[in-house]
Amino acid sequence: MLASPRQQFLGDYAKIRAAEGRGSEDSNYYRALPFSDLTGRNTAQWRIRARTFEYFTHQILPLLPSRVLDLGAGNCWLSYRLAEMGHLPVAVDIFADRRDGLGAARHYPVNFPVIESGFDNLPLPSGQFDLAVYNSSIHYSSDYVRTLSEARRCLRPGGRVVILDSPVYKRREHGEAMRAERQAAFERQHGFRSEALGSIDFFDLQMLQDLERDLSLSWEIHSPWYGWRWHLRPLRAKLKRQRPPSRFWILVGTFQ
């Protein structure tokens, strides 16, 4: 019997994440995120995530306790940090794995709801949340209009959608080149291309403009400082005649 696209994706995703050394049996690993990767396997990525988180909490997150949808919560580190700060997060993901998915919530000393669900049919009431945060996750969507429309349904009037750590390119062909490179790398390393869900994998400037028009949405673009090495990536790529690298903007959307 053939697996569904969702089952295929989850199987592929579990293999990739395990090969990357994600997760641990040590609760201290989860409680240190995003500021430290105690396994030492993905330190550079967590360094970026930590800077994004610091910018988000200091520049975007409301000071008053807020109801936050943590969409694509993974191992729930963001929900844990938000709950520590007095906010009311709900962690949502389709991956329930005990090491790298919602099951890892057992490692945290605070409790918050966890819901196993995809982005496009959230089992949640309408108009209940102040923020819907896609935590390095919305690029797995196959239809941004549908995905963001469902987030809009869950937001109260004046609520905002926040996109963290998803790649943005100036031109679509650069994002498509990245996707092709990544799929080829997956095939070499793991024996499959990990494209079961038809994920878009990136944003480009035209996509952002189209979403503004189609969803009556206005974007604020925030550019955290990730250090000189990151800042000089476009120059290094140009000198090597490579495609331009992605930007990791923080996108804050307000629906009209």
Side-chain angles (χ1 to χ4, degrees), residues 11 17 42 46 56 78 109 111 185:
R17 301 289 284 188
N42 299 284
W46 283 112
F56 167 65
L78 178 60
N111 295 318

Side-chain angles (χ1 to χ4, degrees), residues 145-173:
V145 170
R146 181 175 178 180
T147 296
L148 290 169
S149 294
E150 181 66 350
R152 176 174 58 186
R153 181 188 67 79
C154 294
L155 290 172
R156 64 167 179 77
R160 296 178 295 168
V161 62
V162 182
I163 295 173
L164 307 176
D165 289 343
S166 284
V168 182
Y169 293 89
K170 182 177 180 180
R171 297 168 60 178
R172 182 164 307 197
E173 54 263 39

Side-chain angles (χ1 to χ4, degrees), residues 14 48-49 57 77 94 131-132 136 138 140 144 148 153 187 240-241 244-245:
I48 295 294
R49 304 296 294 277
T57 54
W77 70 265
I94 63 171
L131 291 178
S136 188
I138 195 173
Y140 290 109
Y144 289 150
L148 290 169
R153 181 188 67 79
E187 191 164 30
K240 294 179 180 180
R241 297 185 178 181

Side-chain angles (χ1 to χ4, degrees), residues 212-237:
E212 284 190 318
R213 180 197 65 224
D214 296 341
L215 294 172
S216 298
L217 171 69
S218 61
W219 293 114
E220 295 175 15
I221 296 175
H222 297 255
S223 301
W225 176 253
Y226 293 117
W228 281 107
R229 184 177 179 82
W230 182 271
H231 183 71
L232 293 173
R233 290 165 69 239
L235 177 59
R236 292 199 302 270

Side-chain angles (χ1 to χ4, degrees), residues 34-51:
F35 303 108
S36 178
D37 173 12
L38 298 184
T39 70
R41 296 285 299 273
N42 299 284
T43 301
Q45 291 181 16
W46 283 112
R47 187 179 299 119
I48 295 294
R49 304 296 294 277
R51 289 175 179 170

Side-chain angles (χ1 to χ4, degrees), residues 6 14 78 94 97 99 112 119 142-143 159 189 218 231 239:
R6 175 168 169 161
L78 178 60
I94 63 171
D97 186 78
R99 287 174 61 92
F112 44 83
F119 291 150
S142 61
D143 184 338
Q189 296 171 22
S218 61
H231 183 71
L239 292 174

Side-chain angles (χ1 to χ4, degrees), residues 120-144:
D120 297 343
N121 294 286
L122 296 168
L124 293 164
S126 299
Q128 298 298 307
F129 292 89
D130 301 294
L131 291 178
V133 181
Y134 293 94
N135 185 20
S136 188
S137 61
I138 195 173
H139 48 272
Y140 290 109
S141 169
S142 61
D143 184 338
Y144 289 150

